[in-house]
Amino acid sequence: MSTLKTAVSKLLMRLLLLAVAGALGAALLLPVVLRGGVDAFYGRFASPPAGSLVLGTSRAAQGIRPAVLEARLAGQFEGPLLNYSFTLTHSPYGLAYLASIRRKLRPEVRKGLFIVAVDPWSLSLTGPEGAFPEDNSFIGQLHEVSQNPNLAYLTRYQTKPLYRLPLDFATATERLHPDGWLEVNIGIDSVQVRARTARKLLDYQKLAATQHLSAGRLAALRHTIEFLKPHGRVVLVRLPIGPGLLALEQQYQPGFAVQMRRLAAEFAAPYFDYAAAPYPTTDGNHLQKEASERFSRQLVLDLAAGERKD
């Protein structure tokens, strides 16, 4: 009998320890999840439906700060303004990204601001037209884009063990802000920047050799603008990049700027081309953190000037 009591006592103790560990883990994990600190994407799907949007790839995700725009253009557009940009892999222009944008924007919005970041790569494709890889990613598959916690994302697209999330949140070099701006904290001394820039340029040279400007992506960009126009003001923006990458883009698609100006004129939308503007980058492709603030302030000034001209 005493042996049975001992076994039961040990079992109960183990269950108690498991319960305590589970409660402690939940106490550490829940604040991270509720703050959107799971990864570089999750917070955008756990935030409320948006009134205004920044769209594009990682250039826009890191380069445009909604907080700067909202602080300086307060009352001029419906909020909240959310940076709903992801990466070149996840959010090139296509029907999947457009469907996700439709889900994220509040349908009743009529005075929104929509910053649509464009570059040749976000409109390019490897392989035949109609085969868009992002259709199989969270952009194409996730229908719940404004739930907190977003269990659909956590169970299907968050790949880290849950116990690692609090530690990774505390030590990550990337921090996704509640407004969708992705803050990246990496070394920016000249040696590090040159090395990253050389690697990034090589990556894009490989893309240039295998991709083509996609009629399907161009059509999707047009459909995106058509969808957004009734909801407010649309502005096309080409973000600053390093001179080496800019030279490659001009070689890859020499008529891109003219094409974007024509598209903007078709929809009576401004087109701001900052590609050659001398803002420092971390790798030739993404603005440094301090530069993103300066660039966002300049964008505010140009948006205000454009508003007077419109």
Side-chain angles (χ1 to χ4, degrees):
M1 187 61 126
S2 60
T3 303
L4 178 60
K5 287 182 178 179
T6 301
V8 170
S9 296
K10 288 182 178 179
L11 177 59
L12 291 175
M13 182 60 68
R14 288 173 183 171
L15 291 175
L16 178 61
L17 290 174
L18 286 173
V20 171
L24 180 60
L28 293 173
L29 178 63
L30 189 59
V32 173
V33 171
L34 293 179
R35 288 200 301 268
V38 170
D39 57 23
F41 311 126
Y42 170 78
R44 302 188 184 106
F45 298 126
S47 62
S52 297
L53 294 165
V54 176
L55 304 175
T57 63
S58 58
R59 284 187 193 176
Q62 297 180 37
I64 300 178
R65 299 198 191 189
V68 174
L69 274 66
E70 287 203 296
R72 289 163 173 79
L73 298 172
Q76 298 185 32
F77 57 83
E78 292 185 58
L81 171 60
L82 176 70
N83 193 321
Y84 202 60
S85 308
F86 296 89
T87 71
L88 185 57
T89 298
H90 297 99
S91 57
Y93 290 103
L95 295 183
Y97 192 24
L98 174 55
S100 191
I101 292 165
R102 288 178 181 271
R103 296 182 186 112
K104 192 65 186 181
L105 183 65
R106 296 199 318 272
E108 73 276 9
V109 168
R110 291 298 177 268
K111 196 182 176 184
L113 174 63
F114 306 104
I115 309 297
V116 180
V118 294
D119 61 67
W121 317 106
S122 63
L123 294 166
S124 292
L125 183 65
T126 301
E129 289 290 340
F132 299 114
E134 70 275 9
D135 291 354
N136 297 316
S137 75
F138 55 72
I139 284 294
Q141 299 293 319
L142 187 66
H143 288 192
E144 301 84 1
V145 299
S146 299
Q147 294 183 358
N148 189 16
N150 193 317
L151 297 180
Y153 184 95
L154 290 172
T155 56
R156 295 180 61 188
Y157 302 106
Q158 195 291 121
T159 57
K160 298 177 185 176
L162 291 179
Y163 70 84
R164 288 200 55 86
L165 294 184
L167 176 62
D168 290 349
F169 178 72
T171 60
T173 57
E174 296 180 340
R175 179 192 168 200
L176 185 65
H177 286 245
D179 62 10
W181 173 55
L182 183 63
E183 176 184 353
V184 177
N185 295 289
I186 54 177
I188 55 173
D189 68 66
S190 59
V191 173
Q192 291 172 309
V193 170
R194 282 199 300 271
R196 284 195 299 265
T197 298
R199 291 194 298 268
K200 186 65 67 174
L201 185 59
L202 181 60
D203 290 341
Y204 277 92
Q205 286 170 342
K206 293 176 181 178
L207 285 181
T210 58
Q211 291 194 332
H212 63 276
L213 200 66
S214 164
R217 295 211 185 281
L218 284 167
L221 174 59
R222 180 172 278 102
H223 292 325
T224 301
I225 298 171
E226 288 174 345
F227 165 69
L228 294 172
K229 283 288 285 185
H231 294 283
R233 185 185 184 203
V234 177
V235 181
L236 272 65
V237 173
R238 190 175 181 184
L239 275 82
I241 52 175
L245 186 53
L246 177 58
L248 177 62
E249 290 189 1
Q250 290 171 335
Q251 178 184 357
Y252 172 62
Q253 289 297 328
F256 183 77
V258 172
Q259 191 172 27
M260 291 300 102
R261 281 195 291 270
R262 288 175 178 167
L263 179 65
E266 177 184 338
F267 289 97
Y271 172 56
F272 299 146
D273 190 343
Y274 302 98
Y279 289 87
T281 68
T282 60
D283 57 2
N285 188 44
H286 303 99
L287 292 178
Q288 294 180 14
K289 182 170 68 171
E290 291 75 11
S292 71
E293 182 171 4
R294 290 195 289 110
F295 172 69
S296 297
R297 290 200 303 264
Q298 182 61 53
L299 182 56
V300 166
L301 295 175
D302 294 336
L303 285 168
E307 184 68 40
R308 291 192 292 271
K309 295 175 184 176
D310 289 351

